[in-house]
Structures are given as structure tokens and as C-alpha cells.
Amino acid sequence: MLRLACLAPLAILIPAAGTAEQARPADDALAALGAQLFVDPALSRNATQSCATCHDPARAFTDPREGKAGLAVSVGDDGQSHGDRNTPTLGYAALIPAFHRDANGKYKGGQFWDGRADDLTQQAGQPMLNPVEMAMPDRAAVAARLRDDPAYRTGFEALFGKGVLDDPERAFDAAAEALAAYQATGEFSPFDSKYDRVMRGEEKFTPLEEFGYTVFITWNCRLCHMQRKQGVAERETFTNFEYHNIGLPVNETAREASGLGADHVDHGLLARPGIEDPAQSGRFKVPSLRNVAVTGPYMHNGVFTDLRTAILFYNKYTSRRPEAKINPETGAPWGEPEVARNLSLAELQSGLMLDDGRVDALVAFLETLTDRRYEPLLEESRAAQKD
């Protein structure tokens, strides 16, 4: 069984409803147990994949494997099943507040694209039981796998009490809690990108990056991708945690791979249990832009391969130029929205038209949001584009 050396986490960040983060001292033993679980394929039905398979720490906690739809959606434990949504990074996920409605009635926070997990602990458990992911049949099966390992028996009982693995509910919840504790360590949220270093006065933006930051603010990216409408928040997550419908077309290749069929509609937030308001259809959680330059494909369904394409998609709402209506990856029009109602037009139409120079600058700025450990991936990407 694959094991990961015990870590010395910096801090466990416990999100609270309506706030970006709330810190408490790290429980090193709990996080270390979670680190072991994170890389253990025994938590999947056929013992072929772990959490780290789809959230590879070397690739900014995204899935580097190619399936029938390329990198757009992940392949399941059986080697055949595919999801219908892009696997989001787990980087900075611990800073997402618990799912809630704010004072203005807007839904915010929660985990997954549709917020179906209230918090990081719920998120950590769901992939194990998802039939197109790790595919364990039930909680009892997870508990049995844990009992099979003497080291787990010792570790779980030390943290959760004697006999914890004999109770499937307690065992499953304990595993999810440990995984969440690990994902809340500084390994996932280091805040050491060039952007952070510039904000701390340790480095300076290049002129192009500086211009890109100005474009980011003036093009109104900040409306959805900053915690504050004005000014810079400490430890900025580059998301306001809201849900929006930006009019994305279906990713036909991913939909075919998932086997859901041409009649399937992904309703996003409306699919979350307990949400029955039709006005939430087509809305998906605004993702963090941290590490965005190295975590493509983009959007909830992985429909765009290149970061520049994702930016140009937004430009279609503000530009009258004919070329703004064409997807550069396909050479065809962008495609009709999967859900045409509930579009966030107030935000989408509030920016200025972007020319190529501003797009280049915006890409340069977004690259500065890459954690230091992933900066070599930027160089890989640039080299691949030159080829």
C-alpha cells in the first residue's frame, strides 16, 4: 500500500459560513493520517485510484490523465466510466466558506461545481462512493478496507477511539475528516505565487503583468474573481464564491464520454439537493483563479483547452468585432448556452472590449497567480506552445 511520509502542516484552515477562512492550530496527526489516505488506492473499488489520481499534487491538484475527452473530464476506477464535469483543483479549497445564502439572498460557498457538499469534509467523502469515480459500493466497504490495514487500525483508534473502524458510519466520517484536515494544510494553500510576493514587496511585476493587473480590474474580472469589489483582500482567493451562468455551450466530447446522452442538461446549482428555484439553473460556482494558468482545461465542463480561449469567450459579450463571435479552438461560433436562461448579463456585459494586447497582458497577469512550486509547469506550457 502506498504511504506518504508524515507531514508537518502549517495550519488547518477551517472555513466558516460567510467568511473566507478561519484558522485553528494544526492537528498534525489528523492531517498526516489524511495525507496517507489521500494517496491510497485501496479506497477505490478496484484499488486502481486514490484521491491523488484525480488531484495530482504535482499538477496543481488536477487530473493529468487523458481519457476519451482528453483532459476535460476524469476516468473512473473501472477505467471506462467518465464524469461530465472537469475535475476542479483542490488548491485553496479549504478557504471556500460553507454553503450558505448571504444577506442578499445569493448562494455562496460549498464544494464541487454545484455546491452539493456543504464543506470540505463532505467533499472529501463523496468521491469514494461516486459510481463514476472511486466507486466504493457503500460506507461499510470503505470501513472494511481501512480495517484490513493494521496501521490504519492503530492510527484511527488513536485519533477517534477504540472500535471506530468497526462502525461504518464512524469510520467513513473519520476518514473524510482526516482527508479534509490534510487538504486544509499549507501544502494546498501556500500563498507564495509571484502575485503574493509582489503584494509583500518581495518582487515587482513586469510591465506586461502590471498592465494585465490593470486590465483585470478595469475589465471587471474583479466582480466575480475578487473577495472585495474595491481594494485587495489579505490572502486573496480570486473568487467571490458565488454561482453564475456565463452561457457556456455543452462540451460535446465530454458529454459523449460520460454517456449521459444528448438530452441531458447540466443544471448546475439547481441539481443540488434542496434547491428547487428554477432561477438557479445553469449556475456554477465561480472558481478560484489561483494556479489557473496550469490547471486547464477550463470551465465546469472543460470545454476550452487554452486559457486565452477562456478569456476570449468573455470578450464575446463586450466586443462587436466579428472575430469575437468565433471560438479560436474550433474556428466556429462559440455555440449556444446549455442553459440559456439566468445568464449573468449584468456582470458579463459590464466590461470593456479587449484587443489582443490586453488579452496578452491579462494572460501574463493570471500566470503570476501560479504557486511557486508550479512555476516550472508554466515553462512547460510555454515551451509546448512554441513547438
Side-chain angles (χ1 to χ4, degrees):
M1 182 177 294
L2 185 58
R3 284 284 182 255
L4 194 66
C6 290
L7 306 175
L10 301 179
I12 292 181
L13 306 171
I14 305 301
T19 64
E21 62 183 83
Q22 188 175 36
R24 74 179 187 191
D27 183 337
D28 291 0
L30 185 62
L33 176 60
Q36 294 175 349
L37 294 168
F38 193 79
V39 297
D40 193 345
L43 298 183
S44 63
R45 183 167 194 149
N46 297 304
T48 66
Q49 67 180 43
S50 66
C51 302
T53 303
C54 296
H55 298 285
D56 188 344
R59 306 300 297 192
F61 300 104
T62 59
D63 193 342
R65 304 170 300 152
E66 291 205 17
K68 294 179 181 178
L71 296 174
V73 294
S74 292
V75 184
D77 170 70
D78 61 4
Q80 298 295 324
S81 300
H82 287 68
D84 193 57
R85 295 177 183 164
N86 182 251
T87 300
T89 177
L90 290 179
Y92 300 88
L95 305 181
I96 300 170
F99 187 80
H100 69 285
R101 296 186 83 167
D102 68 10
N104 297 317
K106 290 184 176 180
Y107 289 103
K108 286 188 175 182
Q111 301 288 331
F112 298 110
W113 287 107
D114 57 7
R116 66 184 181 274
D118 285 345
D119 54 31
L120 199 60
T121 302
Q122 284 191 10
Q123 177 277 325
Q126 288 192 24
M128 288 186 278
L129 304 182
N130 191 316
V132 299
E133 295 184 50
M134 299 171 81
M136 292 295 276
D138 50 39
R139 294 183 173 211
V142 174
R145 291 285 177 91
L146 295 173
R147 286 196 303 273
D148 286 343
D149 189 320
Y152 279 148
R153 289 201 297 271
T154 300
F156 273 85
E157 290 194 355
L159 288 167
F160 297 100
K162 189 174 180 61
V164 60
L165 296 186
D166 296 323
D167 182 332
E169 296 298 318
R170 286 180 63 202
F172 187 88
D173 290 345
E177 183 178 341
L179 283 166
Y182 171 52
Q183 293 174 56
T185 64
E187 181 178 351
F188 288 75
S189 307
F191 290 99
D192 63 357
S193 69
K194 182 174 182 178
Y195 169 85
D196 298 296
R197 302 194 298 269
V198 170
M199 293 299 109
R200 292 194 293 263
E202 299 167 6
E203 293 187 34
K204 292 184 177 180
F205 285 135
T206 67
L208 187 62
E209 292 164 352
E210 182 74 45
F211 182 36
Y213 188 28
T214 300
V215 173
F216 182 85
I217 299 299
T218 58
W219 198 38
N220 285 342
C221 304
R222 72 181 190 280
L223 293 181
C224 294
H225 285 288
M226 294 191 85
Q227 293 178 55
R228 297 178 183 169
K229 298 296 186 283
Q230 301 292 333
V232 178
E234 185 179 357
R235 297 162 72 88
E236 175 62 67
T237 59
F238 290 95
T239 170
N240 61 6
F241 312 112
E242 293 179 358
Y243 290 79
H244 288 278
N245 180 1
I246 63 172
L248 287 169
V250 173
N251 183 339
E252 301 288 357
T253 305
R255 184 58 51 81
E256 182 179 357
S258 72
L260 291 175
D263 294 333
H264 177 75
V265 176
D266 190 343
H267 289 284
L269 182 57
L270 184 61
R272 186 190 194 276
I275 302 246
E276 299 178 355
D277 178 8
Q280 307 311 318
S281 180
R283 297 180 185 272
F284 293 87
K285 190 174 65 183
V286 176
S288 171
L289 293 181
R290 285 188 173 271
N291 293 314
V292 67
V294 296
T295 53
Y298 299 99
M299 310 304 184
H300 71 270
N301 55 7
V303 69
F304 303 136
T305 300
D306 188 71
L307 178 58
R308 187 182 180 89
T309 306
I311 293 170
L312 289 172
F313 174 79
Y314 290 99
N315 203 31
K316 80 170 191 168
Y317 288 102
T318 55
S319 176
R320 296 180 180 178
R321 294 178 179 177
E323 58 267 28
K325 310 304 178 185
I326 301 299
N327 180 342
E329 293 183 3
T330 65
W334 290 104
E336 295 300 316
E338 180 171 15
V339 177
R341 62 189 183 277
N342 308 322
L343 295 180
S344 296
L345 294 177
E347 293 83 0
L348 292 167
Q349 295 177 343
S350 66
L352 302 174
M353 179 185 72
L354 291 187
D355 56 23
D356 287 344
R358 285 176 170 80
V359 174
D360 291 341
L362 189 50
V363 170
F365 168 67
L366 293 175
E367 288 178 343
T368 72
L369 307 184
T370 306
D371 291 342
R372 189 189 292 272
R373 70 184 286 197
Y374 301 124
E375 287 174 349
L377 299 180
L378 282 177
E379 299 305 319
E380 286 182 23
S381 176
R382 290 166 183 158
Q385 290 176 4
K386 289 180 180 178
D387 295 342

